[in-house]
Amino acid sequence: MPRLRRAGSTAIIALLLTAVAACSSGSSGDGGLGSDSALPTEIPAGTKLVIADQGERQLSLLTGSGQLDALPFEYEFATFQGAPAILEAFRADAVDVAWAGEIMTVQSLVAGDDVQVVAAMQTNNSLNMGIAPNASDIETLADLKGKRIGYAEGTSQQAFVLRGLDKAGLSVDDVELVSMSLPDFPDALRSNQIDAAPMSEPVFSRYMQTPGATSLPRPEIEDLSEGISYLYSSKKALSDPATAAAVRAYVTAYITSVDWANNNPDAYIDTYFVKSQGLTAEDGERILDTSGITTFPHLDEELIEIQQHTIDVIDAAGELPKPVDAADAFDLRFDEVVTEAVAETGASHTRS
């Protein structure tokens, strides 16, 4: 079984990066595989990937689908909370592949990092806007005017908030954006430090068990996210032929495991939402009903344009330190891998 490492604070993350960097196989130095070279398929014995996970999502999917035991390389899972922590791990060459939201591409591009998208997943928008128990007067996006909103830069929740303000005809000057990390949102709401905060599942379902907690109605917020998340690697990791071949195999295995969840919702609910996250089967059913079937978009110009639009939303709000080009964040060589995996599983590239 893989060893799980959990990162929750800056200090813990620093210790994690020091420990894991020595065992990551993502470094190859000069003279490695070029970014325009064909992706290798041969995985030498002893090749290892360090996989950055959030909430044991990847681990649960791979385990439930049977893909974990079939991975053709050694692996280790490192568990993080939020894209900023994962990005720090990439910078330290401490992880080789990760699952995170779309905004990590923006954060990486702004910082000049070499993180690359190697696969994309899309669901319905599964983010929600939780409301503090003493702020039940917030019933629409327009009601956020003058309110304190939890704000985590470099996360999908950041873009969600900015899109919500724009939809309501508000600007960042019309509200108080309270900077904090994603894991702090629920307690900040409960303790009246903020009035509203965007939350993903299963955090949102746990928060809604709080007495007096409310949320904005789905019609208010369901169009505020494209529902896109990515598998990421890095140019440094992909410059090593062995690691690149392992990442290629991982993309196939992960798409296969996610499509298993599409086709076996009851088993996925039991494996992930109940056994891993401590929710009820009813919670899991409601969450899956909201998010819908996961599809796997092509890594192409259309997807790049969607990502560029997100960048432009952040820029229009004055929250982008410098212009960046979404195309620089995608390794389009992996589109062939995605296409083959989708064909083999019978999954779909587009939402119906």
Side-chain angles (χ1 to χ4, degrees):
M1 290 294 291
R3 290 182 291 131
L4 298 180
R5 297 175 180 267
R6 301 182 179 275
S9 67
T10 301
I12 295 175
I13 292 169
L15 291 174
L16 167 70
L17 300 185
T18 300
V20 179
C23 66
S24 174
S25 60
S27 176
S28 66
D30 295 335
L33 188 71
S35 60
D36 58 349
S37 301
L39 291 171
T41 58
E42 183 177 349
I43 305 174
T47 301
K48 178 180 179 180
L49 291 187
V50 179
I51 302 165
D53 206 354
Q54 297 190 67
E56 298 184 355
R57 184 180 189 272
Q58 293 171 87
L59 180 60
S60 294
L61 282 164
L62 292 162
T63 301
S65 65
Q67 289 295 307
L68 186 67
D69 291 337
L71 291 177
F73 49 79
E74 298 178 11
Y75 56 85
E76 179 176 347
F77 284 83
T79 300
F80 296 85
Q81 292 185 326
I86 292 174
L87 191 54
E88 287 297 327
F90 269 121
R91 288 169 182 159
D93 191 25
V95 298
D96 300 303
V97 66
W99 170 75
E102 58 173 337
I103 301 303
M104 197 167 88
T105 60
V106 185
Q107 191 178 20
S108 172
L109 289 168
V110 168
D113 297 318
D114 71 349
V115 175
Q116 298 281 280
V117 172
V118 296
M121 286 68 66
Q122 187 169 22
T123 65
N124 300 331
N125 168 35
S126 59
L127 292 174
N128 285 277
M129 184 69 80
I131 306 300
N134 65 343
S136 58
D137 58 320
I138 302 176
E139 298 178 345
T140 68
L141 288 168
D143 293 335
L144 292 173
K145 185 175 183 178
K147 303 298 185 180
R148 302 162 298 171
I149 305 173
Y151 195 67
E153 293 186 16
T155 67
S156 295
Q157 283 84 340
Q158 176 189 21
F160 182 85
V161 169
L162 296 178
R163 289 192 184 107
L165 295 178
D166 182 67
K167 180 180 178 181
L170 302 174
S171 73
V172 293
D173 295 327
D174 293 318
V175 299
E176 181 182 349
L177 298 178
V178 182
S179 181
M180 61 180 64
S181 64
L182 293 178
D184 295 332
F185 282 179
D187 285 342
L189 288 169
R190 295 184 185 106
S191 60
N192 193 35
Q193 297 177 52
I194 55 177
D195 302 301
M199 287 181 281
S200 61
E201 294 289 5
V203 176
F204 174 71
S205 289
R206 294 197 194 100
Y207 170 70
M208 290 303 291
Q209 297 172 4
T210 302
T214 59
S215 65
L216 289 185
R218 287 297 300 179
E220 281 286 301
I221 53 87
E222 62 187 354
D223 60 346
L224 299 185
S225 171
E226 297 285 354
I228 292 175
S229 61
Y230 295 129
L231 278 182
Y232 295 89
S233 189
S234 68
K235 290 181 180 178
K236 189 170 185 180
L238 297 173
S239 69
D240 177 70
T243 305
V247 171
R248 176 177 185 152
Y250 186 74
V251 168
T252 298
Y254 191 61
I255 289 175
T256 302
S257 70
V258 174
D259 193 58
W260 165 83
N262 283 339
N263 296 316
N264 299 274
D266 291 341
Y268 177 51
I269 287 169
D270 183 62
T271 298
Y272 181 60
F273 294 107
V274 177
K275 293 179 179 177
S276 174
Q277 300 300 307
L279 298 176
T280 66
E282 290 73 21
D283 287 330
E285 290 171 2
R286 175 180 49 77
I287 293 168
L288 289 189
D289 183 61
T290 298
S291 62
I293 295 294
T294 301
T295 56
F296 308 92
H298 280 291
L299 303 187
D300 58 11
E301 290 300 323
E302 183 177 352
L303 183 59
I304 291 172
E305 288 178 7
I306 292 173
Q307 187 62 53
Q308 187 65 50
H309 176 68
T310 298
I311 292 172
D312 294 341
V313 167
I314 298 173
D315 189 27
E319 297 289 298
L320 196 68
K322 67 177 185 180
V324 293
D325 188 346
D328 294 335
F330 289 79
D331 189 329
L332 300 184
R333 294 176 298 173
F334 279 88
D335 183 58
E336 180 182 355
V337 183
V338 172
T339 300
E340 290 176 355
V342 168
E344 289 174 1
T345 60
S348 176
H349 290 292
T350 58
R351 303 192 67 67
S352 58

